[in-house]
Amino acid sequence: MAVIEIDGVRKRYGATVAADDVSLTVERGEIFGLLGPNGAGKTTLVECVSGLRKPDAGRIRVFGLDPRRDRARLRQVLGVQLQQGYLPEALRVGEAVTLYRSFYRDGADPRRLVADLGLGEQWDSPFGKLSGGQAQRLSIALALVGRPRIAVLDELSTGLDPHGRRNIWEIVERIRDTGVTVVLVSHLLEEVHRLCDRVAVLDRGRVVALDTPDALVASEGGGQRIRLRVSEPLDLAVLEALPGVTGVREDDGELVVSGTREALPVVTAELVRRSVTITALRLEEATLDDAYLAITGRATEENPHD
Amino acid sequence: MTEPIIAARPGPAAWARLTLTEAKLVARDTAGLVVPFGLPMLIMVMNGLGADRTPVPAFGGLPALDAYIVPMTIAMVVALIGIVNMPSFLAAYRTTGVLRRLSVTPAHPVLVLVAQAVVSLVQTVLGVALALALARLSFDLTVPRSLAGAIGVFLLTVAAMYAVGMLVAAIAPTVNAAVAIGLALFFGFLAMGGGFGGREHLPGWLADAGAYLPFGAALDLLGDCWAGLTPEPGQLLALAVTTVLSGAAAAWLFRWD
């Protein structure tokens, strides 16, 4: 069942197109990723869904509610963690969560929520004294304190170290496990691949791809990347012509062969046939990074004048 | 299987909690307490120590402390909190995204404006009460001959100063700008209104203008109430007009993010 329906949404600020005919649906209980470079229109879309901005055209429904007309009802079921939402420096963790709890009809127990997010010891700490990760977890607590059915999390791991990032990811998975639908805005591919059930790739206001992370990887050739060093110079065209090979390039003395899973035996057989010795070989699974670069790169080529 | 979604606006408990939270934040802002409480009182004490209680005919026979120094102290407390302190809080809330964060909850960000206004009003009343108590104990301050009038003028002064403060908060793009604009207005009002010595030394047109700006008007009107003289209707009107115009402009121009 779709809990968020976005249909033909357009939004522009002056000459900048932030949303260009965006259509997508978010299903109940999934972690849905909005992925894209800075300025792709991710935050604009989230702001339209939250009722903070009115689209120039198109239709948005969240649980069948119009985000602007039915604002008061929407607020009770949609928890939003905005990018750049700070708190007064002197406000303490416990005070903030208790205050935000009082805004909602129904909500979580502030002390338990804070403890669940690993901030139990910071209950009396002022916001200004929190580390980046703690502030981000408090921000999530404020988005969850009204027991929302959908949580929108915008760039939640920005500025965190790898440890803090993993910590936040576990929290997001736990949120989903409690039945909350999560919309995750991110430009971190590792984060999206690890967390999201489906992901929409946005580029300059357009949805340029929408699928599961694995399907996105597969759609862009998927498979593998073979990095190898050989004993003597080799004509790249020889490898390119082989079945299963989708691309060959040289990278700092290494040959990088992209292709399907059949490529490895074919390439090694060809090298043996030509009596070329392989001095080093490394196999890499294609990642979402590759797919993402291919998808957004193609979008740029198709619209070079944007 | 799905419960219906029921709209709910935050109730009185949320209002109370928000106001209490604002009060804690204001109380923790130590620098914000020292200036509006300390500066006017210090000026009052320095003036009070040097003065005997000689009756001044122009003040209806009251000493200058009662009819000039204390009214000036009151107007200064109101102006400092209303024009400098409150806008800096609100500008900080806007620039750091506090208002934006509130706008995605069931609480409208206007709630925080109201809470901040209420709290700073309490702060103002407290500051004025402290100054009055000190003047009463140390310098035998008299009760205003027109007590109701003095209270009325005080409230009107608060309204006018706060409306100007809201306008500052509405247009200041940063906290720094809010403090700078607030202080410039505060010193300007004071200088033109007689806060740094009598208006009679100013060029005539400047003194006339100063008498109708919030500080000068409040100073004269409070002095009149202490002395039991009839307040100048033009100055009362000036405070009311300032309140309405600044308040309307603030509501019109206020940027939430």
Side-chain angles (χ1 to χ4, degrees), chain A residues 28 47 52 71 73 75-76 82 85-86 88 90-92 95 98-100 102-105 139 142 149, chain B residues 1-3 5-8 14 17-18 21 24-25 28 93 96-98 100-107:
Chain A
R28 176 189 295 266
E47 287 174 338
L52 290 179
R71 233 178 132 104
R73 288 166 76 194
R75 292 279 174 273
Q76 296 289 335
L82 288 168
Y86 293 86
L91 187 63
R92 294 174 185 160
E95 290 169 350
T98 314
L99 174 64
Y100 274 62
S102 74
F103 298 154
Y104 295 89
R105 240 183 107 247
S139 189
L142 297 180
R149 297 182 199 177
Chain B
M1 65 158 198
T2 307
E3 287 174 60
I5 299 166
I6 300 165
R17 185 163 289 282
L18 189 60
T21 307
K24 287 181 184 167
L25 294 177
R28 284 172 199 161
Y93 288 176
T96 59
V98 171
R100 192 170 137 82
R101 194 196 279 274
L102 273 177
S103 64
V104 293
T105 72

Side-chain angles (χ1 to χ4, degrees), chain A residues 185-198:
Chain A
V185 179
S186 182
H187 66 272
L188 292 177
L189 294 140
E190 193 192 353
E191 175 171 287
V192 167
H193 203 166
R194 151 101 189 246
L195 292 175
C196 295
D197 297 305
R198 289 192 307 142

Side-chain angles (χ1 to χ4, degrees), chain B residues 22 25-40 76-93 116-117 119-121 123-124 161-162 164-166 168-169 172 174-186:
Chain B
E22 283 303 312
L25 294 177
V26 167
R28 284 172 199 161
D29 175 29
T30 323
L33 292 180
V34 170
V35 175
F37 282 9
L39 180 69
M76 216 188 273
V77 172
V78 178
L80 272 173
I81 296 174
I83 303 181
V84 184
N85 277 34
M86 186 186 63
S88 75
F89 263 87
L90 295 181
Y93 288 176
Q116 173 62 224
V119 169
S120 59
L121 183 62
Q123 194 191 355
T124 303
M161 298 283 193
Y162 275 49
V164 172
M166 282 290 180
V168 174
T174 62
V175 182
N176 191 25
V179 175
I181 297 171
L183 280 175
L185 282 175
F186 172 76

Side-chain angles (χ1 to χ4, degrees), chain A residues 3 48-52 61-63 65-80 104 148-150, chain B residues 5-7 104 106:
Chain A
V3 290
C48 288
V49 168
S50 314
L52 290 179
R61 289 293 176 271
V62 181
F63 289 112
L65 303 173
D66 181 320
R68 288 188 73 82
R69 256 207 334 270
D70 304 316
R71 233 178 132 104
R73 288 166 76 194
L74 182 69
R75 292 279 174 273
Q76 296 289 335
V77 289
L78 183 74
V80 184
Y104 295 89
R149 297 182 199 177
I150 303 178
Chain B
I5 299 166
I6 300 165
V104 293

Side-chain angles (χ1 to χ4, degrees), chain A residues 9-300:
Chain A
V9 164
R10 292 173 192 278
K11 178 80 192 174
R12 63 188 310 153
Y13 307 109
T16 315
V17 180
D20 187 0
D21 197 16
V22 172
S23 297
L24 55 90
T25 58
V26 176
E27 301 294 322
R28 176 189 295 266
E30 72 176 337
I31 300 183
F32 187 91
L34 283 175
L35 179 66
N38 290 335
K42 297 169 300 203
T43 296
T44 296
L45 204 56
V46 162
E47 287 174 338
C48 288
V49 168
S50 314
L52 290 179
R53 294 194 192 282
K54 188 182 186 304
D56 299 333
R59 181 174 178 276
I60 299 180
R61 289 293 176 271
V62 181
F63 289 112
L65 303 173
D66 181 320
R68 288 188 73 82
R69 256 207 334 270
D70 304 316
R71 233 178 132 104
R73 288 166 76 194
L74 182 69
R75 292 279 174 273
Q76 296 289 335
V77 289
L78 183 74
V80 184
Q81 180 254 319
L82 288 168
Q83 207 181 343
Q84 288 161 355
Y86 293 86
L87 289 167
E89 299 242 311
L91 187 63
R92 294 174 185 160
V93 169
E95 290 169 350
V97 180
T98 314
L99 174 64
Y100 274 62
R101 167 64 189 88
S102 74
F103 298 154
Y104 295 89
R105 240 183 107 247
D106 180 31
D109 173 51
R111 277 207 182 262
R112 262 195 68 183
L113 178 63
V114 165
D116 285 350
L117 290 172
L119 287 173
E121 285 177 22
Q122 278 75 39
W123 180 263
D124 288 318
S125 303
F127 178 75
K129 292 254 163 71
L130 297 182
S131 71
Q134 290 168 341
Q136 213 54 299
R137 277 180 276 154
L138 173 58
S139 189
I140 295 173
L142 297 180
L144 295 180
V145 73
R147 280 221 186 95
R149 297 182 199 177
I150 303 178
V152 177
L153 307 173
D154 193 353
E155 299 287 3
L156 79 175
S157 58
T158 304
L160 299 188
D161 59 25
H163 179 75
R165 208 170 274 166
R166 263 158 224 288
N167 191 314
I168 295 271
W169 292 348
E170 279 164 24
I171 288 168
V172 174
E173 283 169 338
R174 288 213 306 270
I175 296 170
R176 191 255 314 269
D177 294 343
T178 62
V180 176
T181 306
V182 177
V183 176
L184 185 76
V185 179
S186 182
H187 66 272
L188 292 177
L189 294 140
E190 193 192 353
E191 175 171 287
V192 167
H193 203 166
R194 151 101 189 246
L195 292 175
C196 295
D197 297 305
R198 289 192 307 142
V199 53
V201 181
L202 289 180
D203 192 30
R204 277 157 303 159
R206 270 187 305 270
V207 177
V208 290
L210 199 167
D211 216 323
T212 64
D214 286 336
L216 285 181
V217 174
S219 72
E220 295 304 323
Q224 298 169 331
R225 207 164 35 210
I226 310 155
R227 291 179 167 269
L228 39 83
R229 289 180 191 274
V230 289
S231 56
E232 55 202 83
L234 194 68
D235 183 8
L236 299 188
V238 170
L239 295 180
E240 257 165 14
L242 295 173
V245 173
T246 53
V248 184
R249 63 187 166 87
E250 256 195 280
D251 179 17
D252 197 19
E254 272 186 335
L255 289 176
V256 184
V257 181
S258 320
T260 62
R261 286 172 199 283
E262 292 82 62
L264 178 62
V266 175
V267 168
T268 44
E270 178 66 19
L271 292 175
V272 169
R273 201 177 64 77
R274 291 175 175 265
S275 309
V276 175
T277 313
I278 301 173
T279 56
L281 186 144
R282 207 147 40 92
L283 195 59
E284 291 174 350
E285 290 293 319
T287 63
L288 193 54
D289 293 55
D290 304 308
Y292 174 75
L293 288 174
I295 291 165
T296 52
R298 197 170 51 237
T300 307

